[in-house]
Amino acid sequence: MSLSTSGLLEICGFLVNIAKQGGKIITSAHPSSSDFAAKKNSADIVTETDTAVECMVQAELKSRYPTFDFVGEETYKTDQRITEAPTFIVDPIDGTANFVHGFPAVCISLGFVVGRKPTVGVVFNPFLDELYTAVKGCGAFYQRADSEREKLPLLSSPLRGLGPACIGIEWGSDREGVNFELNLKVFTTLARTRETGGRFVNSLRCTGSSAITICRVAAGQQDLFWECGNWAWDVAAAWCILNEAGGMIVDGHPGEWDPPINNRRYLAVRPAPNGQKEIVQEFWDVIGDDRSTYGPPQ
């Protein structure tokens, strides 16, 4: 299905309005670090606010765009597939652990994909009043509170390899087994000195929100973001923003430069006049022959 640019811009505006509504629900809630239920384990949690925001978002989208598909984190079924059809992909609260601890790296992430490609993205942090938006072919933008909208990236310079890089990276919810061991290997290799077999990168950052971190990559404020185990709703909106800013997402495992939206393994690279492919290859070399168990549904 082909949608006009004006139609996509209209969708973006509608998503911004919904994100602001969701933001009010989020900031009016007062969860505590004991006010949640575990999904997979204590590192993968959900609150009543997650569910309330997704319910509102789904109702609004179904009312305005009843023929479009919907995939949301809290209503996802294991047999649900992202098809070629226009699809809203929603994370009502990305950064739920941050949310329950009062740490303000929290956002609502609203993505729209067509042909399984990121097409519209809206990411809104209601605590910091930061809004990131993008429409395919129209650029990506950042706005804080009532300030002027700024085109992304905010910063741009050549990438000079892993050594001077600021890299976003997360532990995820797997704390044993091959996925945890791969995380340990990547963390330690990036952090170690070159004399002890590492890459001695400038800094590693764990933000607790994939969408926010990818938006920071799009802004040029971080060089890379890597995680295996994410879902499409964690990345769909921010992926569009990154693409439109001039960045890229490749496979979190070596080899694939154009992964599907539901790949579950992602390496995001900031906009740069040069050095993108070189830093990807260098990061893939860190992973080597090891692999996580994550991948697109078969």
Side-chain angles (χ1 to χ4, degrees):
M1 179 179 182
S2 177
L3 291 165
S4 67
T5 298
S6 61
L8 294 175
L9 288 168
E10 180 182 295
I11 289 171
C12 184
F14 190 64
L15 291 179
V16 168
N17 290 336
I18 293 175
K20 296 292 182 70
Q21 291 180 54
K24 290 178 181 178
I25 297 173
I26 293 167
T27 54
S28 65
H30 300 284
S32 72
S33 58
S34 60
D35 183 25
F36 60 82
K39 291 193 285 187
K40 179 177 177 180
N41 55 38
S42 62
D44 183 16
I45 62 177
V46 62
T47 70
E48 291 181 357
T49 310
D50 293 78
T51 305
V53 172
E54 182 162 320
C55 183
M56 179 277 294
V57 171
Q58 185 172 20
E60 292 286 340
L61 291 175
K62 285 297 183 184
S63 175
R64 182 72 169 264
Y65 301 102
T67 64
F68 292 173
D69 290 348
F70 179 89
V71 176
E73 178 177 11
E74 308 311 334
T75 53
Y76 173 76
K77 302 292 189 296
T78 55
D79 61 350
Q80 190 173 7
R81 294 291 181 264
I82 299 170
T83 70
E84 296 286 327
T87 304
F88 292 106
I89 302 181
V90 170
D91 192 342
I93 300 180
D94 188 40
T96 301
N98 291 340
F99 175 58
V100 301
H101 286 91
F103 185 74
V106 175
C107 70
I108 176 172
S109 175
L110 306 177
F112 180 65
V113 302
V114 180
R116 290 187 283 201
K117 296 294 184 182
T119 306
V120 178
V122 171
V123 173
F124 177 56
N125 180 336
F127 292 105
L128 301 182
D129 204 354
E130 290 184 316
L131 176 67
Y132 298 87
T133 60
V135 171
K136 186 177 181 180
C138 297
F141 299 89
Y142 166 79
Q143 186 174 25
R144 182 163 188 177
D146 295 323
S147 64
E148 290 293 319
R149 192 173 70 153
E150 299 180 75
K151 197 173 192 308
L152 297 178
L154 303 177
L155 305 167
S156 182
S157 61
L159 284 159
R160 304 188 186 281
L162 291 179
C166 176
I167 300 173
I169 193 165
E170 298 288 342
W171 285 107
S173 57
D174 287 313
R175 302 300 169 86
E176 63 181 7
V178 296
N179 296 324
F180 183 62
E181 294 302 322
L182 178 60
N183 281 346
L184 279 176
K185 173 189 174 180
V186 172
F187 266 82
T188 55
T189 302
L190 292 173
R192 286 183 188 276
T193 64
R194 291 187 174 273
E195 290 76 13
T196 58
R199 301 305 173 94
F200 203 176
V201 304
N202 175 265
S203 55
L204 299 172
R205 297 285 182 266
C206 297
T207 301
S209 166
S210 298
I212 287 176
T213 304
I214 295 171
C215 286
R216 287 177 176 164
V217 173
Q221 296 163 332
Q222 292 185 223
D223 298 295
L224 299 173
F225 170 68
W226 176 78
E227 187 170 3
C228 296
N230 272 336
W231 295 85
W233 49 78
D234 295 309
V235 303
W239 193 335
C240 181
I241 293 162
L242 178 60
N243 281 351
E244 287 301 305
M248 61 194 298
I249 286 184
V250 301
D251 200 326
H253 288 174
E256 178 56 60
W257 291 91
D258 186 25
I261 191 73
N262 56 351
N263 194 55
R264 303 211 59 200
R265 313 179 304 247
Y266 308 97
L267 174 61
V269 186
R270 73 163 169 84
N274 53 61
Q276 288 179 318
K277 289 188 175 181
E278 290 81 0
I279 202 170
V280 168
Q281 292 287 4
E282 192 176 355
F283 195 98
W284 280 348
D285 287 344
V286 170
I287 297 170
D289 295 329
D290 292 307
R291 297 291 182 268
S292 74
T293 62
Y294 294 112
Q298 301 299 315

